[in-house]
Amino acid sequence: MKIKTVCVIGLGYIGLPTAALLANRNYYVHGVDVVQSTVDTINEGKIHIVEPELDTFVRSAVNSGNLKADIKPIEADCFILAVPTPFHHNDDLHACPAPNIDYVIAATRSIAPYVRPGNIVILESTSPVGTTDKVAEVLAESGVDISLVHIAHCPERVLPGHIMRELVENDRIVGGTTAEATKATADFYRTFVSGEVLETDAKTAEMAKLTENSFRDVNIAFANELSILCDKFGIDVWNLIALANRHPRVNILQPGAGVGGHCIAVDPWFIVDAAGGSARLIETARRVNDYKSEWVIEKVKNTALTFENTHGRIPKIACMGLAFKPDIDDLRESPALFITRRLIADGTNVLAVEPNIDKFKEFDIIDFKVAIAQADIIVFLVGHKVFKGLRIANKVVLDFCNVTNN
Ligand code: SAJ
């Protein structure tokens, strides 16, 4: 069946770029979001998130008439679900956070009245193993004859900051609930992806995505553990890693203030939650990376105490960066934000800096040059480009992301 119309549910970091790309490839795209202001912004040809090139794609998609945003779905040949799959936050630090697929279920229910025989329904959200089957189950419960509909998982794999390029160039994994669904869905992706489209089943596709992000989490945990050890041993961890990486089969990642974002800091829990104690390495890595942020907080507080004892006054601390990684405005699961919030809550005198954000509801955002001038202790939490090569004299500097040496 030739696909002409696509309904994309969820116009966030994945849904909107996907919708805009498809609309620029001559599909008619009906984008759906539950937030009216998001719908209005997009219909004006504008965007509500920061992502290079996305504005150009959305503007041309809306101007061409191929992209329209709405708060309700319509009938279409293909439905793409691109809604968040967070976890339930848990106050018990020793417990494993449980996945929350409520948005996937709600999105599935919202399309059910519009799904017709021959349609393709694709789940792109990163999901616990078994979620695609759950989508099928919810459609069936809502009265859809799922024997006549193609249902598949095609996990998004794009890196924020490079989304428009990676949407086209990355290889994709497609796993259907039937072999026909896999084939129909893979053929659809082949119309706009220049990377290879690899076919498998739904569960393997779900697990592949969780595996990719867990692989990264485990490897970053190794680097973060090294950073704590090196601090104890009086060794420069960045230099150590650069030296070790000169071995032809060693490739250690970079330590930081912790691991953040809605993906790598979340997805490994989906495996741990389902593993019943068997995912020991993956769970430990998650905890090592979370612990790194606690360690940073302790380090900053101890430095502040030493300053106070030496100078007889409470120091001003500049927290440099709040985003979850360099050069973006995304604060989701951000270790830098977690650290800054905790330092403020614990009564330290913080000047919060985030050059990619103008305003924040919880506290003031200070210009980075002003903060550096006013602060006694400068804490680099995120390696933003604007922080590189800054010359800071006569201040205590704590650099957790190696931005001052670059
Ligand atoms: N980080 C480190 N050290 C490193 C690399 C990263 O501490 O050496 C930290 C970053 O500062 C950040 C976190 O890890 O806090 C995650 O950043 P990232 O750039 O590695 O990845 P994300 O979360 O932006 O995107 C990831 C990507 N997955 C992989 O690289 C396996 C992306 O391809 C996925 O599409 C995305 O997750 C997703 O949506 O799942």
Side-chain angles (χ1 to χ4, degrees), residues 14 126 156-161 166 170 209 211-217 219-220 223-224 252-265 267 289 323-326 328 333-335 381-382:
I14 301 301
T126 305
E156 60 84 10
R157 298 173 121 179
V158 286
L159 193 69
E166 290 205 357
N170 286 3
K209 169 62 196 241
T211 301
E212 291 159 20
N213 281 354
S214 299
F215 170 86
R216 194 115 167 119
D217 201 38
N219 282 277
I220 299 169
N224 276 333
I252 303 167
L253 294 180
Q254 299 299 301
V259 169
H262 43 105
C263 313
I264 296 184
D267 304 348
N289 285 331
F324 86 80
K325 67 177 186 175
I328 58 168
E333 307 299 329
S334 168
L381 297 170
V382 188

Side-chain angles (χ1 to χ4, degrees), residues 16 41-42 45-51 54-56 58-59:
L16 182 56
T41 305
I42 294 166
K46 298 187 187 139
I47 56 175
H48 61 296
I49 48 182
V50 174
E51 178 59 36
L54 179 61
D55 54 345
T56 318
V58 170
R59 204 180 316 119

Side-chain angles (χ1 to χ4, degrees), residues 108-388:
T108 307
R109 288 207 179 106
S110 80
I111 62 167
Y114 306 95
V115 175
R116 302 284 172 258
N119 285 175
I120 299 178
V121 175
I122 303 164
L123 174 66
E124 278 219 11
S125 316
T126 305
S127 299
V129 173
T131 309
T132 314
D133 285 341
K134 188 84 193 157
V135 167
E137 209 179 293
V138 172
L139 286 175
E141 280 165 14
S142 310
V144 175
D145 183 351
I146 55 168
S147 67
L148 301 174
V149 175
H150 300 307
I151 302 165
H153 184 46
C154 179
E156 60 84 10
R157 298 173 121 179
V158 286
L159 193 69
H162 302 267
I163 292 181
M164 297 320 297
R165 181 178 54 78
E166 290 205 357
L167 268 181
V168 176
E169 290 180 5
N170 286 3
D171 292 347
R172 298 298 291 257
I173 298 173
V174 172
T177 53
T178 63
E180 297 72 39
T182 305
K183 175 86 177 66
T185 308
D187 284 345
F188 166 59
Y189 279 91
R190 287 186 185 112
T191 65
F192 62 94
V193 167
S194 68
E196 221 178 306
V197 181
L198 307 154
E199 299 183 14
T200 181
D201 56 75
K203 276 189 181 170
T204 310
E206 287 159 347
M207 187 61 180
K209 169 62 196 241
L210 301 181
T211 301
E212 291 159 20
N213 281 354
S214 299
F215 170 86
R216 194 115 167 119
D217 201 38
V218 168
N219 282 277
I220 299 169
F222 183 73
N224 276 333
E225 185 157 297
L226 279 180
S227 71
I228 293 171
L229 294 172
C230 282
D231 185 73
K232 216 184 229 333
F233 303 156
I235 292 171
D236 176 348
V237 67
W238 316 100
N239 183 33
L240 172 90
I241 291 175
L243 292 171
N245 280 350
R246 298 294 287 269
H247 184 288
R249 284 173 296 284
V250 173
N251 188 8
I252 303 167
L253 294 180
Q254 299 299 301
V259 169
H262 43 105
C263 313
I264 296 184
V266 175
D267 304 348
W269 287 123
F270 295 2
I271 296 180
V272 177
D273 175 70
S278 304
R280 286 188 289 180
L281 177 62
I282 295 172
E283 176 168 4
T284 303
R286 198 73 297 288
R287 294 197 190 281
V288 167
N289 285 331
D290 280 351
Y291 171 69
K292 181 66 194 285
S293 306
E294 299 283 348
W295 184 86
V296 168
I297 292 167
E298 279 314 299
K299 200 90 192 144
V300 176
K301 285 209 249 172
N302 287 338
T303 308
L305 202 60
T306 308
F307 184 98
E308 195 180 338
N309 290 340
T310 318
H311 296 82
R313 61 181 173 86
I314 294 175
K316 281 190 183 164
I317 303 170
C319 285
M320 306 291 284
L322 296 174
F324 86 80
K325 67 177 186 175
D327 305 318
I328 58 168
D329 68 335
D330 193 338
L331 299 177
R332 286 176 292 176
E333 307 299 329
S334 168
L337 177 60
F338 171 79
I339 291 163
T340 306
R341 268 187 184 138
R342 268 277 287 284
L343 289 171
I344 293 171
D346 291 352
T348 54
N349 192 350
V350 166
L351 303 168
V353 171
E354 179 41 76
N356 299 296
I357 291 177
D358 297 330
K359 269 198 182 139
F360 188 57
K361 54 184 181 316
E362 291 174 35
F363 43 76
D364 289 342
I365 303 283
I366 319 269
D367 176 78
F368 77 91
K369 288 185 184 140
V370 173
I372 290 173
Q374 291 183 358
D376 304 295
I377 301 172
I378 323 278
V379 183
F380 286 97
L381 297 170
V382 188
H384 290 311
K385 269 194 209 103
V386 288
F387 298 160
K388 285 190 181 164

